[in-house]
Amino acid sequence: RGGDLFAAEEGFWEPLRTGVSLSRAHVKWFKHNDMQDLRRLLTQIQAHDQKVKRPLNAQRRFLVVEGLYKQTGTIVPLKELVQLKHEFSYRLILDESNSFGCLGKTGRGVHELYDCPLMHDVEITTIALENGMGAIGGITVGSDEVVEHQRLSGSGYCFSASSPPFTATAAIQSLELLQTNKETTLQPLQDNVAYLHHKLTQLCHVTLEDVLLVTSAPESPILFLQVADIPETRDLDELLFLEEVVQECLMHGVTTSNNKKSTTSIPNEFSSMACVVESSPPGIRITVTASHTHEHLDHCLRIFSESVEVVLNRSQ
């Protein structure tokens, strides 16, 4: 709400940006997954509080991060973040929309992966159901006050309608499958992620001569590749190259996603200036699922390698 303070991560996805904008809170941004920059920001805020003699309980303050970043496939360093949260007395809002159903021993997400208990280390958890659950709607985990406020004041409740019975049933069934059939859901997914990450890293290093680098986390089902900063790529039109690789793959039946470099302008009601932050670096995203087989992944790797070679030869 207005008057609160968010220390927000620059790299999170559009729904979180919309929520931050609608909250009317004061927003301070820190660099993507950079805990040193976050410490700098929190120390700066603390010094200002001492200067103006603001009491510790005068303002509600939150850290806002994504568990698994859709734009980059990286995972938040939650242990370090939680340490800073406790040190500077902030609450933590963790969005598990892209990590729920794929990370952790039972698929509960990043907090389970790092063994950070909810309600103690993470006060508010949000989950969108359209990713891991294949449904519509969302989940909020928090205190009774937080959950009730979200249920009654969320934009989906105020400006839309309840989830249709079909999608609600689909979400329930997905949760049941995740709980009772890990051998056909979570385990194959995590095996495929490990397999593709290893093979793709090897492909980039050996076959593609490090022109592309896998920069996503090894546990992430969202694999992200960026053009390496080496002499061979200095004269390469990066955005055009990535777009042509994506199109070449598509022509051979393999769908990837071109993550174009973009910035987002966040309105600031407390100033005539808008805050402009980089929301995504340029790169190629590849998403793996539990239903893929190693044969599928090998075929995709072959098409991807051939597509990169074709585009590189074309640009020479």
Side-chain angles (χ1 to χ4, degrees), residues 60-96:
R60 297 192 308 178
R61 295 179 173 181
F62 301 86
L63 303 179
V64 187
V65 298
E66 205 173 337
L68 170 60
Y69 289 90
K70 179 183 178 181
Q71 304 287 14
T72 59
T74 50
I75 295 173
V76 65
L78 192 59
K79 284 288 189 182
E80 298 173 63
L81 187 74
V82 167
Q83 182 180 350
L84 289 172
K85 172 194 107 73
H86 289 304
E87 180 180 343
F88 289 90
S89 300
Y90 279 64
R91 297 179 177 94
L92 176 58
I93 300 175
L94 175 65
D95 184 74
E96 295 265 28

Side-chain angles (χ1 to χ4, degrees), residues 175-281:
L175 286 170
E176 290 179 354
L177 287 172
L178 186 63
Q179 289 178 313
T180 60
N181 294 279
K182 288 192 294 183
E183 67 279 359
T184 61
T185 53
L186 186 62
Q187 192 59 53
L189 173 61
Q190 294 180 342
D191 288 345
N192 283 341
V193 168
Y195 180 83
L196 185 58
H197 189 277
H198 172 72
K199 290 288 188 178
L200 194 56
T201 302
Q202 190 177 49
L203 172 69
C204 290
H205 178 63
V206 178
T207 307
L208 303 181
E209 300 179 342
D210 293 325
V211 170
L212 289 170
L213 298 175
V214 181
T215 57
S216 51
E219 306 91 343
S220 171
I222 304 171
L223 287 88
F224 193 71
L225 298 101
Q226 292 180 270
V227 176
D229 184 13
I230 56 177
E232 290 79 3
T233 62
R234 297 284 165 78
D235 298 325
L236 196 66
D237 186 331
E238 186 176 357
L239 296 179
L240 180 62
F241 167 72
L242 295 170
E243 179 63 30
E244 289 185 353
V245 169
V246 168
Q247 292 301 321
E248 191 71 27
C249 288
L250 187 60
M251 288 173 58
H252 293 86
V254 174
T255 302
T256 58
S257 175
N258 179 16
N259 209 50
K260 298 179 181 179
K261 182 176 182 179
S262 63
T263 57
T264 302
S265 178
I266 306 295
N268 186 348
E269 64 173 312
F270 306 103
S271 169
S272 59
M273 301 294 291
C275 176
V276 179
V277 297
E278 182 175 310
S279 55
S280 61

Side-chain angles (χ1 to χ4, degrees), residues 43 119-120 150 157 164 166 182 209 244 270 278-279 302 307 315:
T43 302
M119 305 306 297
H120 177 263
Q150 178 64 18
Y157 183 85
F166 173 80
K182 288 192 294 183
E209 300 179 342
E244 289 185 353
F270 306 103
E278 182 175 310
S279 55
R302 180 178 61 81
S307 298
S315 60

